[in-house]
Amino acid sequence: MNMSLLYPRATASRRVISLDGMWQFQFDPESAGEAAGWTGGLPESCSMPVPSSFCDVFTTKDAREYTGDFWYETDFFVPGEWEGKEVVIRFGSVTHKAKVFVNGAEICSHVGGFLPFNAVVTDVVKYNQVNKLSVLANNELSETMLPCGKTQVLSNGKKVSAPYFDFYNYAGIQRPVKLLCLPKAAVTDYEVKFTLQDADAEVDYSVKTCGEGDVTVSLYDKQGNLAAEGKGAAGKLLVKDAKLWNVHAPYLYKIVIRLYQDEKLVDEYYDTLGIRTFEVKGDKLLLNGKHVYLRGFGKHEDADIRGRGLDLVTVKRDYECLKWVGANCFRTSHYPYAEELYYMADEEGFLIIDETTAVGCMESTMNFLAANQGTGKKLGFFEKETTPQLLEHHRQVLHDMITRDKNHASVIAWSILNEPQCTSDGTEEYFKNLFDYAHELDVQKRPRTYAVVMMSLPHTSKGQQFADIISLNRYYGWYVMGGAGIVDAEAAFRKEMDGWNQVRGDRPVIFTEYGADTLASEHKLPSVMWSQEYQNEYLEMNHRVFDSYDFVQGELMWNFADFQTTEGILRVNGNKKGAFTRQRQPKDVAYVLKSRWEALPTDYKSDK
Ligand code: EVA
């Protein structure tokens, strides 16, 4: 039960109580809290909302930039009638490390800040009483954990985060926390795969349970009518006249899984289920056998004050903006997002490229110097002494992401890394391990990809051989040959594309990033870099290039909205490549995208 990552649902056999709200919070810079007995109560705490990042709610720089251990604490009541069942506290995420205590007893720990985990507390809670939940968290970055980075110590002794990635290292309990009561014998997971036959669909399912019992699986249509039924932990459902899930036209069935012991119902779990197929065929992407051209964005979970904390208002606004601008797809750059977002993509008919937390796997000047001091030897990022540790963690993240997200109709592909250093020898072994593992874990065998950094060129990248879709992050006209040099940028871009055409085999290429920083306050005629006019010109140049290569099958602009990064000379209080501002209002470029994307047919380039 501990490992079940099923999204919490209240049913005849299950109870869910939200623990979100105002908790208590305290920094622990000396890492002394545990020894000092803080699990019995925080000595000098302040209030802190859950879910939220802690960083931007404070008004001092020390608090915002705090790096190290910190504590969250709340009280919760466990109903007496739950005795004899399994009681679990389910964290949507704690960034980046967590150790959980209940009534002072250590329950579990977890590493990785963007996926759920469970604390089974059946034997430690006091029933019909109030209990104390304490979480010791830590937000330090390292090279053996994802995302990669390191911690630096300032001359005043304070630690600060040095991310190897371009987004602010927001931390805290950033997603919902739920108290669950589950039956001892229960459904722990299920998976489905689809075959379409004329108007009908076959749903191959398999269900995992803890405890023996008889399983039934029922599929209901939107009106609540039974559409198909199966008996046994694995089997096939035949859905007559299946209504398919589609882009912007989603149809969701309800799947209900029941577990019986001696003909008595002991557990019931339900989920929404979209029936669809997705595959790469030659250089085309096919949804339900029909060609689809991707258009949309790389996104972030990022908003004013709450940082990376789940905020349903922002989630709703984002989907409204995505629909308005004519997008059909986004990438969860650079980490798996909150589950609520995937359910909404299923409901709204959006396609998701689901990305792991593998960002920053790149030899920066900083880590290169530290790792190779004095040796003069150039080591690749995947050839370090610590690489086996990183790989183990990466496998865990991939496992949990695919386990959590595999049944969403919206999820069409796995992005296994973002911009890794993939020109050195260690790349192949590291990549093969993960790309094979993704196929092993996913019964639907969704295409696997990773976002290829600028410096990785068609003939130097050792990673591209593993990708089912080649995904490029390219900034011709921004980081290179910007401004008046955009003419040369276009020529260099085309030259590189000709190179990809030589090595791609019969695979599609999509753009997972292209963009230019732009201040919503700036206009200039003629354009200069950072002005809205330049962002428009930059995009128009990129689109011209995309339109001239038929094997380019998607364009995900960087970024949907402006977002917070670490401060520095390359960023004006954050990354400003958004088509929308951080407050989700359109820049001029959003209208350029809207008129292009609304005019492009869904199956753009299908006949070529
Ligand atoms: C950028 N470029 O420079 C973006 C980053 C992103 O924010 C990248 O994948 O190549 C990264 O994280 O704006």
Side-chain angles (χ1 to χ4, degrees):
M1 178 51 59
N2 186 6
M3 288 308 294
S4 176
L5 294 183
L6 286 178
Y7 189 70
R9 305 273 186 202
T11 69
S13 54
R14 296 168 172 241
R15 298 289 176 271
V16 182
I17 295 177
S18 169
L19 297 186
D20 294 351
M22 208 52 110
W23 291 35
Q24 289 300 301
F25 179 88
Q26 190 169 340
F27 292 127
D28 183 6
E30 312 296 332
S31 299
E34 208 177 336
W38 289 14
T39 55
L42 297 175
E44 283 176 54
S45 62
C46 65
S47 56
M48 181 61 69
V50 169
S52 176
S53 309
F54 69 73
C55 317
D56 285 353
V57 301
F58 288 116
T59 53
T60 68
K61 210 160 191 172
D62 278 353
R64 187 187 69 201
E65 302 296 325
Y66 177 84
T67 302
D69 285 350
F70 50 94
W71 292 76
Y72 279 82
E73 176 194 279
T74 193
D75 290 336
F76 65 102
F77 182 83
V78 181
E81 55 275 25
W82 288 12
E83 210 160 350
K85 311 263 189 198
E86 199 80 286
V87 182
V88 172
I89 300 169
R90 205 238 196 212
F91 293 86
S93 73
V94 180
T95 316
H96 297 283
K97 284 191 193 166
K99 212 186 221 191
V100 180
F101 304 84
V102 168
N103 300 330
E106 186 180 333
I107 310 296
C108 68
S109 35
H110 184 261
V111 177
F114 298 88
L115 285 159
F117 64 94
N118 293 333
V120 181
V121 296
T122 315
D123 299 330
V124 280
V125 288
K126 294 179 278 182
Y127 291 88
N128 226 14
Q129 291 182 49
V130 171
N131 294 265
K132 185 172 290 299
L133 168 61
S134 322
V135 180
L136 166 57
N138 180 285
N139 62 347
E140 288 175 65
L141 300 167
S142 77
E143 286 190 8
T144 54
M145 222 178 76
L146 299 168
C148 291
K150 70 177 190 179
T151 301
Q152 287 175 326
V153 182
L154 302 176
S155 57
N156 63 4
K158 296 218 159 102
K159 290 190 234 171
V160 284
S161 298
Y164 297 169
F165 48 86
D166 182 39
F167 52 91
Y168 193 79
N169 187 33
Y170 281 118
I173 301 185
Q174 304 187 129
R175 293 183 189 157
V177 185
K178 288 172 178 163
L179 179 65
L180 315 181
C181 173
L182 306 167
K184 289 275 186 194
V187 175
T188 56
D189 201 7
Y190 80 97
E191 63 187 13
V192 281
K193 95 171 179 218
F194 311 104
T195 318
L196 308 182
Q197 294 166 331
D198 304 321
D200 305 336
E202 218 172 71
V203 183
D204 274 281
Y205 71 85
S206 106
V207 174
K208 283 191 190 144
T209 59
C210 63
E212 296 293 299
D214 300 316
V215 173
T216 67
V217 176
S218 312
L219 204 64
Y220 299 92
D221 67 16
K222 260 196 185 150
Q223 283 69 45
N225 302 315
L226 188 68
E229 201 165 24
K231 281 197 167 40
K236 274 188 207 309
L237 307 174
L238 186 65
V239 189
K240 289 268 168 210
D241 288 321
K243 294 185 190 64
L244 301 184
W245 185 93
N246 229 315
V247 178
H248 298 156
Y251 188 94
L252 292 175
Y253 289 87
K254 181 175 179 185
I255 184 170
V256 182
I257 304 169
R258 297 184 176 93
L259 179 67
Y260 295 87
Q261 287 181 336
D262 303 324
E263 286 169 34
K264 197 173 149 258
L265 181 72
V266 291
D267 191 23
E268 185 175 281
Y269 182 80
Y270 74 88
D271 211 353
T272 46
L273 192 78
I275 298 179
R276 59 102 188 90
T277 58
F278 187 81
E279 63 186 312
V280 177
K281 204 161 185 194
D283 62 13
K284 303 278 188 291
L285 305 171
L286 303 183
L287 180 69
N288 300 326
K290 296 201 183 104
H291 179 226
V292 58
Y293 183 88
L294 308 181
R295 69 224 50 190
F297 303 95
K299 284 184 96 267
H300 264 299
E301 289 185 306
D302 174 277
D304 281 334
I305 305 174
R306 62 227 355 107
R308 195 147 287 124
L310 174 67
D311 174 45
L312 294 176
V313 177
T314 306
V315 171
K316 169 72 181 164
R317 173 71 182 181
D318 283 6
Y319 277 102
E320 290 304 313
C321 291
L322 286 166
K323 282 191 276 184
W324 172 83
V325 78
N328 65 13
C329 181
F330 64 88
R331 176 173 63 126
T332 68
S333 37
H334 296 304
Y335 36 82
Y337 292 177
E339 290 145 296
E340 289 73 9
L341 257 123
Y342 297 74
Y343 279 108
M344 195 142 172
D346 292 342
E347 274 166 36
E348 297 283 359
F350 277 89
L351 305 171
I352 292 181
I353 298 177
D354 205 4
E355 187 159 278
T356 73
T357 38
V359 56
C361 303
M362 168 74 71
E363 207 179 286
S364 71
T365 323
M366 238 173 339
N367 63 47
F368 174 72
L369 290 177
N372 303 294
Q373 248 167 16
T375 66
K377 195 168 162 248
K378 196 169 166 15
L379 277 183
F381 198 83
F382 301 119
E383 292 160 3
K384 300 183 177 201
E385 245 170 61
T386 50
T387 299
Q389 235 175 305
L390 180 68
L391 179 61
E392 194 185 318
H393 174 64
H394 199 158
R395 280 175 65 91
Q396 180 69 45
V397 168
L398 187 65
H399 173 276
D400 289 358
M401 178 179 85
I402 294 180
T403 304
R404 190 192 71 160
D405 298 339
K406 63 182 178 304
N407 293 322
H408 287 287
S410 52
V411 174
I412 53 161
W414 309 116
S415 171
I416 295 176
L417 313 98
N418 179 70
E419 300 198 337
Q421 187 208 40
C422 51
T423 45
S424 61
D425 290 340
T427 307
E428 301 193 19
E429 197 183 326
Y430 192 91
F431 272 52
K432 183 169 183 347
N433 188 308
L434 292 160
F435 279 67
D436 286 352
Y437 194 37
H439 257 192
E440 200 184 299
L441 291 166
D442 179 18
V443 70
Q444 293 186 16
K445 310 288 176 225
R446 288 171 177 86
R448 301 148 302 175
T449 191
Y450 73 102
V452 182
V453 69
M454 275 288 270
M455 289 90 81
S456 264
L457 298 167
H459 297 282
T460 60
S461 165
K462 294 199 161 101
Q464 60 95 354
Q465 58 186 302
F466 300 103
D468 301 310
I469 301 170
I470 297 175
S471 300
L472 302 180
N473 292 355
R474 289 297 178 270
Y475 289 93
Y476 287 101
W478 183 252
Y479 290 118
V480 289
M481 297 168 260
I486 199 166
V487 194
D488 292 351
E490 181 167 350
F493 196 0
R494 287 178 185 276
K495 194 161 166 233
E496 191 191 336
M497 291 308 291
D498 294 339
W500 282 107
N501 199 17
Q502 284 166 18
V503 300
R504 72 182 175 89
D506 194 19
R507 287 175 295 173
V509 172
I510 63 169
F511 284 88
T512 33
E513 288 184 24
Y514 63 106
D517 281 276
T518 303
L519 295 177
S521 58
E522 293 307 302
H523 280 288
K524 189 122 182 172
L525 185 66
S527 75
V528 288
M529 292 173 81
W530 295 91
S531 69
Q532 298 212 43
E533 286 73 11
Y534 188 74
Q535 194 180 27
N536 292 353
E537 286 165 25
Y538 169 93
L539 244 67
E540 278 155 7
M541 181 280 272
N542 275 262
H543 293 155
R544 232 177 3 253
V545 175
F546 303 164
D547 289 343
S548 17
Y549 294 90
D550 294 341
F551 60 82
V552 172
Q553 291 294 325
E555 47 192 67
L556 306 187
M557 185 237 183
W558 191 255
N559 187 283
F560 168 73
D562 293 348
F563 60 92
Q564 193 64 54
T565 63
T566 309
E567 55 194 317
I569 52 169
L570 283 175
R571 298 286 176 254
V572 187
N573 183 19
N575 187 309
K576 303 291 184 201
K577 295 195 184 70
F580 294 84
T581 63
R582 200 181 191 206
Q583 294 69 38
R584 274 59 178 181
Q585 298 303 333
K587 294 185 192 164
D588 286 359
V589 84
Y591 295 90
V592 172
L593 289 168
K594 182 175 167 65
S595 73
R596 173 176 167 83
W597 289 347
E598 284 183 347
L600 291 186
T602 304
D603 64 350
Y604 178 49
K605 295 183 186 169
S606 63
D607 48 341
K608 295 182 187 160

